[in-house]
Amino acid sequence: MAPPKKYPDELRIRAVERWRASDPRPPIVQLARELDVHPEALRTWIRQDEIERGERPDPRAERLSETETEELHRLRAENAELRRINEILTAASAFFASQLDQQRRLL
């Protein structure tokens, strides 16, 4: 069983968003003190967020070739497009199902 988290996920998300939204960005130690979190915890959260956004390379990941990187970007874009299409189709099917239900009620 995993040990309990010291800080809730909501605090982590809010802290990173606050740091990203600040202009100029405050020193991590100062923001950590304001949020009552350990500075290294905040620094880790920010670093992980940058890795997830693709703004910083993941030191644990193996290096990809240029072709693999291009393919990864293409596949991520395709995945986003397919998710968007899926949302549209889901909404459309719900709409048409409600229309059929209304027609059946009238008969």
Side-chain angles (χ1 to χ4, degrees):
M1 187 162 72
K5 292 183 177 183
K6 184 170 182 175
Y7 302 108
D9 289 337
E10 182 181 302
L11 173 63
R12 175 182 173 254
I13 292 166
R14 280 195 345 249
V16 172
E17 285 176 355
R18 182 169 168 189
W19 183 80
R20 290 187 73 81
S22 300
D23 188 30
R25 293 197 170 135
I28 291 175
V29 174
Q30 176 187 343
L31 182 59
R33 194 175 314 118
E34 290 173 15
L35 298 172
D36 197 28
V37 299
H38 194 278
E40 284 307 310
L42 180 57
R43 188 180 323 280
T44 302
W45 299 341
I46 292 169
R47 192 175 303 130
Q48 184 61 40
D49 182 65
E50 289 173 339
I51 290 169
E52 290 171 1
R53 291 174 181 265
E55 297 170 356
R56 173 190 292 253
D58 188 348
R60 297 167 295 167
E62 61 185 61
R63 300 289 181 228
L64 300 176
S65 70
E66 189 175 323
T67 0
E68 291 172 323
T69 303
E70 289 172 4
E71 181 182 17
L72 180 60
H73 288 296
R74 183 185 60 77
L75 291 171
R76 284 183 176 164
E78 182 181 339
N79 190 13
E81 177 67 12
L82 291 172
R83 286 180 190 271
R84 189 182 67 78
I85 290 170
N86 193 29
E87 289 175 7
I88 291 169
L89 291 173
T90 302
S93 68
F95 172 77
F96 288 120
S98 69
Q99 294 296 314
L100 282 174
D101 190 40
Q102 287 177 2
Q103 288 177 356
R104 287 184 183 146
R105 288 182 188 164
L106 292 175
L107 295 177

